Amino acid sequence: MEQVLAFPAKWWNEAVTVWLVVAVVIYVVVAVPGLYFIMKYRFKPGEREIGDHEKHGHWGLEALWTIVPTIIVLVLATYSFAIFKKQRTAPPDAMTIKVTGFMWGWQAEYLDEKGNTIKTVVTTFNPTGYEVPDDQKIVVPAGKPVKALLTSLDVIHSFYVMPARITEDMVPGRITHLWFQINKPGEYWIFCREFCGTGHSHMFTKLKVVPPEQFTLWLKGETNLANKSNQIKGNL
């Protein structure tokens, strides 16, 4: 079975496919007969120049092209709302981080069950390149849902988790939220998607996704994660 890289990206991809298929089918159903009638009933000198005036509609066709589109709209609206609700509601077992945006960096605070900060990571502004020091990367465990509480210190930013295809505005004085889950360990981009000043194009960081046991060690302050992880695997 193919492993899903990230949520809610999986649902967005499915929704785009559904909407695209429906849109193409509707386009074909409307455009093909339209082109046919344009050609068939185009103006021809000496032929049906006045047109038919004794016909005034067809109740069956009127009902058909009213009921069918209504059903399609209701189905798409229900389906889309279900997708929206899933991407807005974090799973109950999600871990929580608080991310604060500022011109032009990020601060990620890892919270315990009581909301106390147990670790903080700050990504500073890098105006000359796109490298992120390892100790400034936001680390999360693979396969674990993460709920991010978002705010800003200055202007409006937007927290965009690229592999999860999700973004949310960070507003000064307010707490917004999103959640995501990355299943494959690796490093992924995080960008600001709201223009926030001259340094906006360099407001980024890296999301470092590691196996859960490595994340536990990192959260405790262990630095040599690779060796510690190998020790854990060797003891299993």
Side-chain angles (χ1 to χ4, degrees), residues 20 30 103 115 124 165 171 229:
L20 180 62
V30 173
M103 295 190 293
T124 56
R165 298 185 66 185
V171 183
S229 178

Side-chain angles (χ1 to χ4, degrees), residues 64-218:
L64 181 66
W65 61 52
T66 300
I67 294 173
V68 172
T70 300
I71 292 174
I72 293 174
V73 168
L74 290 175
V75 170
L76 287 177
T78 304
Y79 170 74
S80 300
F81 181 74
I83 294 290
F84 172 76
K85 193 165 178 55
K86 284 198 293 186
Q87 76 90 11
R88 289 299 295 171
T89 308
D93 61 336
M95 61 168 279
T96 303
I97 61 174
K98 180 183 178 183
V99 183
T100 303
F102 56 88
M103 295 190 293
W104 292 276
W106 314 87
Q107 174 179 284
E109 299 172 73
Y110 293 78
L111 309 180
D112 61 15
E113 293 78 6
K114 298 180 180 178
N116 300 316
T117 302
I118 54 179
K119 194 179 185 76
T120 301
V121 173
V122 178
T123 304
T124 56
F125 182 43
N126 179 0
T128 59
Y130 290 94
E131 297 79 25
V132 181
D134 208 50
D135 60 347
Q136 295 188 17
K137 296 171 182 173
I138 299 176
V139 181
V140 298
K144 175 80 173 176
V146 178
K147 181 178 181 180
L149 306 176
L150 309 172
T151 190
S152 169
L153 289 180
D154 35 51
V155 299
I156 296 178
H157 303 281
S158 185
F159 187 69
Y160 175 51
V161 184
M162 191 171 182
R165 298 185 66 185
I166 190 167
T167 189
E168 184 74 26
D169 277 359
M170 313 171 84
V171 183
R174 293 185 60 182
I175 298 292
T176 56
H177 66 89
L178 58 77
W179 78 272
F180 61 87
Q181 176 179 321
I182 314 296
N183 293 322
K184 184 179 179 182
E187 294 190 358
Y188 306 92
W189 287 107
I190 288 177
F191 295 113
C192 175
R193 291 191 73 187
E194 187 75 46
F195 181 72
C196 54
T198 55
H200 168 69
S201 62
H202 280 259
M203 187 171 173
F204 61 89
T205 188
K206 284 287 188 72
L207 184 70
K208 187 173 182 177
V209 181
V210 300
E213 62 272 18
Q214 284 194 29
F215 175 76
T216 301
L217 293 174
W218 175 84

